[in-house]
Amino acid sequence: MPEIVTVEDLVEVYSDGTKAVNGISFSVNDGEFFGFLGPNGAGKSTTIKVLTTLLKKTSGKVVIAGNDVDKRAEAIRKVIGVQSQDTVIDQDLTGEENMMLQGHLHGMGGEALKARVKELLSLVGLSDVAGRRAGHYSGGMKKRLDLASALVHSPKLLFLDEPTTGLDPQSRAAIWEYLSKLNKEQGITIFLTTQYMEEADKLCQRLFIIDKGQVVASGTPESLKREVGADSITMTLEDGAAASETKDRAKQALGGIPGVGNIIDSDGGLTVYAKNAGLIIPDIVRTFDSNKIRLTSVSFASPTLDDVFLQHTGRRIRPEELEAKSQTFQRFGAARRPARQ
Amino acid sequence: MSIVSDTYHLFIRALKKLVRNPILLFFSLLQPIIFLVLFTQLFSRFVETGLFPAGVTYLEYATPGILLQNGFSSALQSGTSIVDELNSGMLEKMLVTPVNRSAILLGRLVTDAFRVGVQSSIILILAYILGFNVATGAGGIVLAIIIVAFFGLAWSGISLAIGLRTRSAETVFGIGGVLTFPLLFMSTALVPVKAMPTWMADVSSFNPISFAVNAVRDLSLPSAFSGATIASAFVVIGAIAIVTLGATLYLFRKVVK
């Protein structure tokens, strides 16, 4: 498959000296559903800005659909569609007018544009409200309109920066369905960033995880999860005066247990990886007991992309996502057991 | 030519936005209308002082000033729209399309000029009802509206530049508000030079509003029509436009890059 995006040694240094992107390289194949993940401030949005011609890169090479981003920005703009993180639509215009304007800016017009707008509005389920002002739409409808307006000119490559952030589960599922359809039926290459690991897992064929401006992992969701190699066991310890000292002792104790892999200290507690969590947990509990370390909870799950992310960045994707994460646990049928003391 | 069609589409969009926010439109016209009605009543007997051109009513004298005042203050709000485009992400959304870059600015400026033109026409109609006339006829009316719109365009540049630089609508409104009254009152918009203290008369003679007002007044008052006044107005407005729109273009380029 030919490459539609080629990025080599991309560096972006802001005028204040901040290195937002520090030498990343990757490529996206034509027709691929590509996921670009990273914690906040990792350099995702900066990379997208460079790729979509909004920001001049400091150094490196970026080629989109055969066009160098420095020399042929105009040609790139003709073949890409972009949905930014914040929903951007004109609230004073109707849904249809928003779409028409976007088409006009792409040099389209006449009956062809009208037909295209009609088709897209029906694809995202907004035909009934096409004549109403977009300012009156719900959050989910606005997102859908924004997405549809990025598609007016039939782009070959679609950049989506967190397209479902802030949406309710139902709207999110609807967007996932459109995106799958676009990718599978129309062969549009999709470049997606998201903070929802479930979304990346469900949609993307290949993932790149970046952190602090650099690529830290890449592969298919399956291979990345396989690389984690084991179930994750997450435990929280009793808070108290000597919390950090307790944590250090716990880490030491865990290190002595055979079969325990990587130990990660995150805001969600201590996480370790082990081939067979069910057999290791009693060992952990016994060891902690004899070392007088008090556990407040312990749970385990088969690896998810959250674990991949945690392993490579040392962080959960976002603290406020922890709640959603515990629901994921339940969905995967993992047990949440109280610690034996 | 994509610059023409892009400018056209962005102009149409801006017009739709204007029409769909009638309250905004109404309030921006309210001030000149209040001026027109109250000032011309309040100051109607000022002409008896002999400081005004002979045989001219205060309404006839002040209407050109109120036209310019409206063009001026309405243009100073132009920057808020670019702040809105910047902060909402709409500008970025446009910039990832192949839209002609200059058209984004041009669309804005054409809209501003058009808006000032429409508002001027409304003020002229109201003034006509009150007894105002343009001595040079239809051609004079058109030329007067062109002068006011061109004047508005030049001042839009200041407002756009402030908006691009500060990205704050409050700052645009604040600076606009602070500038309006001193510049208006220290000009020949409402009172002739003869009626001013010397220092103010000096300021007034350099005030660009005076140049524009004098030109419109030349067209409307029956006595003295002089091409030189019109020409000097265009030169002064043109010079301002070059500076303000140049600054706007420079700052816009920085944003676009």
Side-chain angles (χ1 to χ4, degrees), chain A residues 49 52 54 56 74 77-78 82 88-90 92-94 97 101-102 104-106 133 146 149, chain B residues 6 9-10 13 16-17 20-21 88-90 92-99 101 255-257:
Chain A
K49 279 200 171 146
T52 55
L54 285 175
K56 270 215 153 37
E74 173 110 24
R77 293 181 191 126
K78 284 184 184 155
V82 183
V88 186
I89 50 166
D90 193 322
D92 294 326
L93 299 185
T94 67
E97 285 168 339
L101 176 67
Q102 197 67 17
H104 290 314
L105 297 184
H106 273 282
R133 280 195 219 171
D146 199 13
S149 72
Chain B
D6 286 350
H9 289 300
L10 290 170
R13 162 180 176 247
K16 281 181 184 162
K17 287 172 79 75
R20 286 171 196 184
N21 289 293
S88 69
M90 191 51 94
E92 280 199 349
K93 186 169 179 168
M94 287 182 201
L95 291 176
V96 295
T97 73
V99 67
R101 272 45 192 157
V255 171
V256 167
K257 212 184 73 174

Side-chain angles (χ1 to χ4, degrees), chain B residues 36-37 40-41 55-64 123-135 220-222:
Chain B
L36 190 67
V37 176
T40 55
Q41 295 300 306
V56 169
T57 66
Y58 189 70
L59 175 76
E60 287 169 328
Y61 186 81
T63 298
I123 295 169
L124 278 173
I125 290 167
L126 195 66
Y128 175 78
I129 295 169
L130 294 170
F132 173 77
N133 248 314
V134 176
S220 67
L221 294 185

